[in-house]
Amino acid sequence: MLHSLKAIQSYKSGNMPEAQQLWLQLLAAAEKPRINLERIHSIAELEGTNPVLDYTERTLHVLEKLPVSFWVREILEDVLIWSETAKAGSLEQRRVWQKQGVNLFVHNVGSAQLYDLYAGAGHLDNDISKTKETSIYQPASPGDALSKNEDLSEHTTPSSHTPRHEIIRTLIATHGLIGQYIRGEIPFAENAPLHALIVKGWLSTDELHNLLMALNECIIAGVDPALWNQVQAEVERIVGWIIAGPDHEDWSVKERLSRLRSSSIRQGEAMDEAYAKLQTEMDVEPILAPLAHRTLWYVESAMQDFSLQEMVKVFLLTLRSESMNPTSMESRSDVVRHISFEPLMNTMYYDYKGVKKLNIYKKRMIEKYLEQYSWEQIASGEQIVYPHLTHRIERHTDLPDTLFVTFEFSPAAEKLIAFCIEAEKSPLYEKAVLLLFDLFGLRRDAYDRFHNEETYLSDMNSSGDYKKVLLDYIVGKRVLDIGPGGGILLDLIEQEKPEVEPIGIDISANVIEALERKKQREGHRWQVMKGDALQLEQYVEPGTVDTVIFSSILHELYSYIELDGRRFNSDTVVAALRSSFRVLSPGGRILIRDGIMSEPEAQKRRIRFLEPDGMRWLERYAEDFQGRAIEYERVSDNEVVLPINDAMEFLYTYTWGEEAYVHEIQEQFGIFTPTDYENCIREVLGEQAEIITFEHFLQEGYTEALGERMIFMNEDGEPAPLPDSTCLIVIEKKKGLADG
């Protein structure tokens, strides 16, 4: 076993690192390691762990199994044990390092500096095959070196370094750069020190090739063995370029952007289309040319959930800020070598039920902020005053070559966002989100399901069997699916009716974004567009649509959209029907599948709760529901009598359970009785509209879901079936009549 692995195992067994294991003392002392959150599943799990040490251990295990020569294994062992040290150390140690000029934010550079600091003296042997015990001198402890405040250069006199030390130092200083080049984060020239090892005669081309291939397998397989299998061939190609010389041509701007967005592309971003659209708005190559010689840290982790356009706007705001704010020692733009998005990355995630979760609140606010900026405003350096949010580009005096990028929220906004996160599982959530919208001037219906939206869209996609019945009523070629959710109905239309052109329309920015990525990822032909269901004629030509589908969406429009200053307004349904009817072609159809209320409305039902908290659920529901006043008479500790439609409206939410409560409490599922629906359609659409199908039924699953939770009875206490929950209505636009 490698000496270093034995040392780590001994430490994890409870033994303190020995004096000569200085690298392990530093890694073990890490109080707040610097972590790339991209591959972290749970932020909470980082508490009480040392992921930097764990990663180092994984890379050493990879090395131990590689079929390499003794001297390669020996060199790389030293490289790996020192390459993460700039992410470690105690807070006090890190402060001293910064004073000494150690770059802790560009960790490969900082780790090489620390290697010089602690292993930089006593290198008198030029034989690179010597073991590390005889060729590396280390101070007795970190404190011995840290007690001095000498400039770092006093410890790194090149003349005192052996070729072996310089090889190890160079491999540490370029640690991970091949992977970063593959990801588009660095220019190729950053690898030039590796080629210099050949020029100086310290390594042959074969030796450098073997070292780099083995080292990168350790680095990448230490993250994910499958990832190494994916990139091995490309790593070998880039190693060949490094060996050939330092002047290899860099990626084009488009290629570099594509690599920076590889995660977004895997999730379904149509990069070619997004770049082509961007190119119509600006000349991308020359405008982004100042990035060519800069390294970009943590870009993908920080910005993979933003669009290409948004990412480019952030780049340009960063470059503009740099050029607008030179100081005496920063008067030339090429002083900046590194741009770090680490502060932005760290602010974009939080832990939700043990899983790392994107802070969707901050993301939407940042999107809104960036939307205010035109390309011309960015180019002119105009600063938009946006309440409670601004972009911030910072420099640290001890790191003049590095810019740090983030967005800064006002204290009030930060507290409100934190309140939204805390309120995610309570009825306060909706109120919290509305306060946030008011603060930033956003429309509520434009952001469907802030909290747990991925689960919501997945749930929508699980309802395919219920929606499939709608396919039998589709006519014509062009079909609009209003509020397509997770896209299940669009998928069904595409599969079952290849002659039809399905189009999804939604006002929600995140729903459209998710559907666009799903389309690209899965290769669908359907289209989606952002649009308002109450004004469809603004997005499609009147008379050009053959079928408009409202599948479980009218009740959401009714519940969420404020019209004339109030929600739960039937005029919203009226506006949606009128708008959809205008865009219909003669002979076209409106299909409605949604909740239905029972009639006569005066009839009552008795509920006996079989769960001890059932009555508490009803009391809570009646207090929180805003659609109408819920009336009930409590007749015992576990029985109530209430109007049939109040009973069913409550049971719809009760069925979904605690996790969905915060959302379901905001919605009224049953809007009209059958008679009210028919009267509304005839009054709103007139003689041009013919109702050719009107069915209502109990949706499958409710009886089974509620059977063990309550007993449903008539007013006399006799068992009664659940009433109809759902309607299916088909309205046809008659031919031969002029539009009204």
Side-chain angles (χ1 to χ4, degrees):
M1 180 181 287
L2 296 175
H3 295 291
S4 53
L5 282 174
K6 289 180 182 178
I8 292 172
Q9 288 186 4
S10 175
Y11 165 69
K12 288 189 171 182
S13 298
N15 300 313
M16 290 301 293
E18 297 177 10
Q20 70 269 26
Q21 296 159 354
L22 199 67
W23 58 273
L24 183 53
Q25 292 183 30
L26 298 178
L27 294 179
E31 295 178 16
K32 188 179 180 182
R34 311 190 75 78
I35 297 297
N36 186 330
L37 294 178
E38 181 182 349
R39 295 184 177 273
I40 297 299
H41 176 71
S42 170
I43 297 173
E45 289 174 4
L46 296 179
E47 297 296 326
T49 66
N50 191 328
V52 173
L53 179 58
D54 292 344
Y55 170 69
T56 300
E57 184 179 17
R58 291 198 303 272
T59 64
L60 290 166
H61 276 299
V62 176
L63 174 61
E64 188 175 42
K65 296 175 183 177
L66 291 182
V68 295
S69 66
F70 177 80
W71 81 269
V72 168
R73 191 183 311 278
E74 181 196 55
I75 291 286
L76 295 187
E77 183 175 12
D78 273 4
V79 172
L80 293 173
I81 64 177
W82 284 96
S83 288
E84 301 295 314
T85 51
K87 295 179 181 178
S90 68
L91 295 179
E92 181 182 355
Q93 287 170 331
R94 295 178 69 82
R95 282 193 290 269
V96 175
W97 288 342
Q98 284 183 285
K99 289 180 181 178
Q100 293 176 312
V102 178
N103 191 332
L104 300 179
F105 296 93
V106 182
H107 68 263
N108 55 316
V109 173
S111 294
Q113 291 173 309
L114 291 175
Y115 176 70
D116 274 336
L117 180 63
Y118 294 122
H123 298 272
L124 304 178
D125 198 320
N126 288 318
D127 183 357
I128 65 173
S129 67
K130 290 288 185 181
T131 63
K132 67 184 177 70
E133 284 82 0
T134 60
S135 65
I136 292 188
Y137 163 82
Q138 296 170 319
S141 70
D144 291 345
L146 293 174
S147 64
K148 304 172 184 178
N149 281 324
E150 301 99 327
D151 186 87
L152 187 63
S153 61
E154 295 183 24
H155 295 274
T156 58
T157 307
S159 61
S160 68
H161 291 167
T162 65
R164 182 183 192 280
H165 177 93
E166 287 300 320
I167 290 169
I168 293 171
R169 186 193 190 284
T170 300
L171 291 173
I172 295 171
T174 57
H175 178 272
L177 293 191
I178 290 177
Q180 287 182 263
Y181 184 66
I182 290 174
R183 291 158 62 98
E185 294 172 341
I186 66 165
F188 186 79
E190 292 291 316
N191 291 295
L194 291 168
H195 182 75
L197 297 177
I198 297 174
V199 175
K200 293 175 181 178
W202 291 344
L203 293 175
S204 69
T205 56
D206 286 344
E207 287 170 338
L208 182 58
H209 175 273
N210 293 338
L211 278 169
L212 291 179
M213 289 303 297
L215 176 58
N216 280 275
E217 182 168 356
C218 295
I219 294 168
I220 298 171
V223 174
D224 181 359
L227 181 61
W228 170 249
N229 293 332
Q230 293 170 20
V231 302
Q232 181 179 357
E234 188 163 19
V235 169
E236 184 138 27
R237 183 161 57 109
I238 294 169
V239 168
W241 296 344
I242 291 170
I243 290 171
D247 299 324
H248 185 82
E249 185 178 352
D250 262 314
W251 307 126
S252 67
V253 168
K254 181 184 178 183
E255 179 65 21
R256 191 176 186 190
L257 289 174
S258 297
R259 289 173 177 272
L260 287 169
R261 299 196 62 76
S262 58
S263 178
S264 304
I265 292 169
R266 285 195 300 273
Q267 292 301 313
E269 180 177 72
M271 180 65 190
D272 288 342
E273 295 175 17
Y275 187 85
K277 182 177 185 299
L278 193 63
Q279 189 66 38
T280 64
E281 300 170 358
M282 55 186 280
D283 196 354
V284 183
E285 291 270 350
I287 289 176
L288 291 183
L291 290 178
H293 61 284
R294 272 66 182 266
T295 64
L296 304 173
W297 291 84
Y298 302 104
V299 175
E300 188 170 13
S301 304
M303 303 210 67
Q304 62 184 337
D305 293 294
F306 291 92
S307 70
L308 173 66
Q309 183 184 72
E310 289 160 350
M311 186 176 81
V312 171
K313 280 189 175 182
V314 173
F315 284 164
L316 295 185
L317 287 170
T318 302
L319 293 171
R320 187 61 187 170
S321 174
E322 173 200 359
S323 64
M324 294 286 287
N325 296 285
T327 68
S328 58
M329 70 172 181
E330 303 157 357
S331 58
R332 293 169 54 220
S333 63
D334 62 1
V335 168
V336 174
R337 182 181 173 191
H338 308 287
I339 300 177
S340 173
F341 290 80
E342 184 180 12
L344 177 58
M345 174 188 73
N346 289 335
T347 196
M348 290 307 299
Y349 298 97
Y350 66 97
D351 204 80
Y352 172 73
K353 296 175 69 174
V355 177
K356 182 192 73 175
K357 187 173 177 64
L358 173 71
N359 193 320
I360 193 69
Y361 314 98
K362 288 188 174 181
K363 177 177 183 283
R364 297 303 179 201
M365 303 310 119
I366 292 171
E367 288 172 338
K368 180 70 173 178
Y369 175 80
L370 293 173
E371 187 182 311
Q372 311 304 307
Y373 272 102
S374 68
W375 301 113
E376 293 73 22
Q377 287 171 315
I378 295 175
S380 67
E382 180 179 342
Q383 179 72 40
I384 290 180
V385 178
Y386 190 67
H388 303 288
L389 176 61
T390 188
H391 66 280
R392 184 162 298 285
I393 316 299
E394 296 180 340
R395 279 182 175 170
H396 298 174
T397 55
D398 53 347
L399 290 172
D401 66 345
T402 307
L403 293 181
F404 296 90
V405 182
T406 192
F407 285 84
E408 184 175 71
F409 292 80
S410 70
E414 287 281 7
K415 285 182 169 58
L416 192 49
I417 290 169
F419 178 49
C420 287
I421 293 171
E422 289 299 317
E424 283 178 348
K425 296 177 71 174
S426 80
L428 290 173
Y429 176 71
E430 182 73 11
K431 296 176 182 177
V433 169
L434 289 175
L435 286 172
L436 195 64
F437 288 174
D438 289 343
L439 196 67
F440 287 94
L442 299 172
R443 278 185 58 175
R444 168 61 180 89
D445 57 307
Y447 294 90
D448 194 19
R449 309 284 178 162
F450 257 93
H451 165 57
N452 219 18
E453 65 187 54
E454 301 89 349
T455 302
Y456 168 64
L457 294 177
S458 175
D459 288 343
M460 295 302 98
N461 277 354
S462 68
S463 61
D465 290 344
Y466 302 150
K467 296 175 181 285
K468 199 167 186 178
V469 65
L470 293 167
L471 302 184
D472 295 334
Y473 298 95
I474 290 175
V475 295
K477 299 290 187 184
R478 199 176 191 207
V479 177
L480 296 188
D481 179 16
I482 309 299
I488 184 60
L489 188 54
L490 294 173
D491 288 349
L492 287 171
I493 296 171
E494 181 179 279
Q495 294 163 13
E496 303 293 329
K497 293 185 171 291
E499 76 283 0
V500 168
E501 176 193 357
I503 304 170
I505 292 188
D506 205 296
I507 195 67
S508 167
N510 51 306
V511 167
I512 293 298
E513 179 182 291
L515 286 172
E516 288 283 12
R517 293 193 173 196
K518 169 183 166 70
K519 176 187 174 182
Q520 178 73 12
R521 189 171 62 246
E522 300 175 5
H524 293 290
R525 61 177 176 83
W526 41 253
Q527 304 294 320
V528 290
M529 65 173 70
K530 191 171 184 291
D532 188 339
L534 309 190
Q535 302 180 64
L536 292 174
E537 57 271 33
Q538 291 188 9
Y539 311 96
V540 294
E541 189 72 25
T544 63
V545 176
D546 300 309
T547 304
V548 178
I549 301 175
F550 293 97
S551 180
S552 291
I553 196 66
L554 282 180
H555 79 273
E556 294 207 0
L557 300 178
Y558 172 82
S559 300
Y560 287 118
I561 295 180
E562 282 194 11
L563 204 60
D564 299 327
R566 61 188 176 95
R567 293 164 57 200
F568 304 102
N569 186 344
S570 60
D571 287 346
T572 306
V573 179
V574 168
L577 290 175
R578 281 181 174 153
S579 176
S580 59
F581 204 67
R582 289 190 192 104
V583 301
L584 275 187
S585 60
R589 292 178 176 179
I590 298 172
L591 313 185
I592 299 171
R593 181 188 171 281
D594 218 308
I596 194 82
M597 297 174 74
S598 295
E599 51 189 3
E601 295 182 69
Q603 59 186 313
K604 294 189 176 182
R605 289 293 182 265
R606 183 185 293 252
I607 294 176
R608 179 183 301 153
F609 292 108
L610 302 179
E611 295 178 322
D613 64 345
M615 189 66 73
R616 180 190 63 80
W617 259 86
L618 177 60
E619 292 169 348
R620 176 186 176 192
Y621 178 84
E623 182 178 347
D624 295 337
F625 183 59
Q626 300 297 311
R628 62 175 183 269
I630 299 295
E631 301 175 0
Y632 65 94
E633 177 187 355
R634 185 168 176 167
V635 294
S636 74
D637 288 345
N638 65 342
E639 279 193 31
V640 292
V641 173
L642 65 174
I644 188 170
N645 289 314
D646 286 355
M648 286 305 294
E649 200 61 54
F650 161 68
L651 289 176
Y652 296 138
T653 297
Y654 190 52
T655 304
W656 280 92
E658 184 68 40
E659 182 68 21
Y661 181 83
V662 65
H663 302 305
E664 297 305 318
I665 192 64
Q666 310 301 328
E667 301 178 6
Q668 180 172 314
F669 185 56
I671 305 174
F672 295 135
T673 65
T675 299
D676 290 339
Y677 242 129
E678 186 171 349
N679 290 340
C680 175
I681 291 167
R682 297 194 186 286
E683 180 180 342
V684 171
L685 303 183
E687 62 178 15
Q688 271 194 287
E690 181 180 359
I691 301 174
I692 62 173
T693 298
F694 198 132
E695 303 172 358
H696 44 89
F697 49 88
L698 177 63
Q699 182 65 59
E700 182 182 345
Y702 280 122
T703 301
E704 293 78 5
L706 292 167
E708 296 183 358
R709 304 182 68 189
M710 61 99 211
I711 297 174
F712 197 72
M713 302 170 284
N714 62 23
E715 198 170 355
D716 298 325
E718 299 170 342
L722 294 172
D724 290 347
S725 63
T726 309
C727 66
L728 174 63
I729 307 172
V730 180
I731 307 165
E732 190 166 277
K733 188 173 188 177
K734 296 179 181 178
K735 298 179 180 179
L737 293 174
D739 286 348

